[in-house]
Amino acid sequence: MTEPGTLSHGAGGALHIAIDTEHYRIRAEDVKSLLFYGRAIPIYEDRSRTTSGGILASEVAIEGHAVLAASGRAVMLHSRAGSCAIPLVSFRRVARGEAASAPLLPGVTL
């Protein structure tokens, strides 16, 4: 069975989520809201496209959300690509930059 995706640490404390061909991000300030206050946070997708004039235009769209699992031991990520989970310990390590990345677990409820 292949892993559904990866959570990785990005510039400025942002987190990047790669699921199959989809790429999402979580802003650093949103990570703090999730970890310190337990708030649901948005997951963004960067959409870059070339306009008819040949200009690269970038759009940002909310494509999902992340929440703490009811047990408090995992973070659930829900997006267009599906749902997956990551243990809270792994999420924190990536968010702090202690680990470069961590695998996501397929649609499980922890």
Side-chain angles (χ1 to χ4, degrees):
M1 181 167 85
T2 61
E3 295 175 2
T6 305
L7 178 74
S8 59
H9 187 79
L15 298 180
H16 297 278
I17 303 165
I19 303 173
D20 293 328
T21 60
E22 303 288 330
H23 295 277
Y24 305 99
R25 69 180 166 85
I26 299 173
R27 299 181 313 180
E29 57 270 19
D30 292 332
V31 172
K32 291 177 185 175
S33 291
L34 176 71
L35 293 176
F36 294 125
Y37 304 110
R39 294 184 181 138
I41 59 171
I43 295 176
Y44 297 95
E45 179 182 28
D46 287 319
R47 297 179 185 168
S48 298
R49 60 180 173 81
T50 305
T51 63
S52 58
I55 299 170
L56 183 65
S58 181
E59 300 173 346
V60 177
I62 295 174
E63 291 293 337
H65 65 280
V67 294
L68 287 175
S71 67
R73 298 182 343 187
V75 175
M76 300 299 298
L77 304 168
H78 304 282
S79 71
R80 253 184 337 139
S83 296
C84 51
I86 182 169
L88 184 58
V89 170
S90 298
F91 186 90
R92 283 185 177 152
R93 289 189 68 220
V94 173
R96 289 190 297 239
E98 295 172 2
S101 66
L104 301 174
L105 305 172
V108 293
T109 305
L110 299 174

